[in-house]
Amino acid sequence: MNFCKSSYDPATLPPRLQVHQSWWAMRGIGDERGEWSLEKKIANIAEAGYSGIMGRLPAPEEAELWRKLLDQYQLEFGIEAFPEDPDEFGTFLQEAKEFGVSYVNAQVKDSFVVGDAAVKRLSGIIQEGKKWNIPVFVETHRGRITQDLLRTVEYAEALPDLRFTIDFSHYVLAGEMLTSQERAEDCFQQLLKRTSCIHGRISNGQQIQVDIGPAGEHPMTERFLAWWKQGMKNWRQEAQHGDVLPFVCELGPVPYAIDRYGFCTNKMEEISNRWEQGLVLKQLALQAWREVQEDDEAGF
């Protein structure tokens, strides 16, 4: 089974959730003095209580600084990848291994690869992850090989070792599903059985990323929380001591974030505070994990 291993926690610890912040979500984040520096962003991520960052493999000229800061703040580091050719992906994984990456979130190219060709490509990517002993999770994402719900279920049925980064915001948007219909819900539950990572973002069937309010008051929050909790529960049933489930708060900048024209500033402005919204998602994830733990302890 393909699970993320923590570099800092001993393998004797029970299976646990770690909340990570997306580096993409930090784009443009700052204060009245401007966007924070790389160093300040990482310091603030650690101070806010995140356990790690999901970003991209640093460029060679930045690798030493990134490694220093990650070690200084004891942050896990997962990375995004956009693989197409399994052999080329193997070379990428070698670099990731050398840097000390905890896991790889793979948005596999592309949405026009289907059927047996898609299964073959995914199988090759899975095998490369095993070869380099790096957990590789395929993200449920629009515009990728996992373009839609139905074909992704077929891939899961064909590949028992296929593990997912669950991000149902894409399917809710692509299917214009304001609520989960019965047939769609059956498919969602099939994918949740392969949960190895969760991306925290809520969509409403028309926007990929909505502001859920200061305490998650948005009506779609409950639906997404139910999916996240089921994914957590499924993961716990198979996890071993030392295993980690990353929950990544992944609120992207414009055009993911909704913007509007500011008549006072004469420029486009985001309608949400992505940093604050990420902290709301963080608290929701931790609460969901506590509830799953309590249910397991109670035998539910």
Side-chain angles (χ1 to χ4, degrees):
M1 199 58 67
N2 209 1
F3 295 111
C4 172
K5 292 288 186 181
S6 168
S7 303
Y8 300 105
D9 295 324
T12 55
L13 288 178
R16 59 210 179 278
L17 181 81
Q18 285 188 352
V19 183
H20 295 185
Q21 170 68 334
S22 163
W23 192 247
W24 175 57
M26 297 300 292
R27 189 179 300 174
I29 298 298
D31 50 36
E32 65 279 359
R33 290 170 291 185
E35 183 172 353
W36 293 333
S37 66
L38 183 151
E39 292 87 347
K40 187 170 179 59
K41 285 179 180 179
I42 294 179
N44 285 350
I45 287 170
E47 185 177 348
Y50 289 101
S51 299
I53 295 172
M54 188 194 76
R56 295 193 182 181
L57 196 62
E61 63 271 18
E62 292 186 332
E64 184 176 352
L65 176 59
W66 266 95
R67 188 72 267 165
K68 174 184 175 182
L69 292 170
L70 291 169
D71 291 345
Q72 177 181 340
Y73 293 107
Q74 295 192 333
L75 292 169
E76 298 290 339
F77 190 55
I79 59 171
E80 294 179 306
F82 305 88
E84 185 170 7
D85 178 79
D87 291 334
E88 292 179 2
F89 186 51
T91 301
F92 174 85
L93 290 179
Q94 181 179 7
E95 296 175 7
K97 184 80 171 180
E98 291 171 354
F99 185 78
V101 163
S102 300
Y103 62 94
V104 173
N105 177 74
Q107 294 185 22
V108 182
K109 297 180 179 180
D110 61 27
S111 59
F112 293 97
V113 179
V114 298
D116 292 342
V119 171
K120 181 179 179 181
R121 180 169 297 182
L122 288 168
S123 178
I125 285 168
I126 292 168
Q127 294 308 312
E128 287 298 324
K130 291 181 178 179
K131 175 182 176 181
W132 291 102
N133 194 30
I134 297 179
V136 175
F137 313 135
V138 174
E139 184 176 353
T140 60
H141 199 295
R142 295 167 298 148
R144 301 293 186 248
I145 209 167
T146 51
Q147 162 77 14
D148 65 71
L149 188 56
L150 294 177
R151 74 168 78 167
T152 305
V153 170
E154 292 179 355
Y155 302 152
E157 291 173 345
L159 297 167
D161 291 339
L162 178 59
R163 306 297 302 189
F164 290 115
T165 292
I166 297 296
D167 187 347
F168 287 164
S169 66
H170 293 284
Y171 294 153
V172 171
L173 178 67
E176 293 190 287
M177 290 178 283
L178 296 176
T179 57
S180 55
Q181 302 168 5
E182 184 176 349
R183 291 181 66 183
E185 186 61 32
D186 289 341
C187 294
F188 285 134
Q189 292 302 318
Q190 289 299 312
L191 300 185
L192 287 169
K193 293 177 182 178
R194 306 287 185 85
T195 301
S196 282
C197 180
I198 298 172
H199 279 185
R201 184 193 306 114
I202 293 175
S203 60
N204 66 357
Q206 300 299 330
Q207 289 87 30
I208 186 60
Q209 180 174 301
V210 297
D211 188 314
I212 61 173
E217 298 90 347
H218 194 283
M220 286 298 289
T221 302
E222 183 177 358
R223 179 63 265 172
F224 275 81
L225 277 173
W227 285 324
W228 296 343
K229 288 173 66 175
Q230 186 61 51
M232 292 173 183
K233 186 176 183 65
N234 292 342
W235 181 86
R236 280 174 57 88
Q237 289 174 351
E238 297 180 299
Q240 305 295 318
H241 275 66
D243 289 338
V244 172
L245 174 64
F247 182 102
V248 183
C249 299
E250 200 199 23
L251 298 178
V254 174
Y256 266 61
I258 303 171
D259 62 352
R260 63 186 174 190
Y261 184 74
F263 291 97
C264 294
T265 60
N266 292 319
K267 63 180 181 179
M268 301 304 294
E269 302 171 340
E270 291 185 38
I271 67 170
S272 296
N273 184 317
R274 276 184 286 122
W275 174 253
E276 295 295 335
Q277 282 283 286
L279 295 176
V280 174
L281 288 171
K282 175 174 171 287
Q283 292 307 312
L284 289 173
L286 292 172
Q287 178 60 37
W289 180 255
R290 286 192 292 269
E291 292 174 3
V292 168
Q293 285 182 305
E294 292 169 358
D295 287 348
D296 286 349
E297 292 169 0
F300 295 137

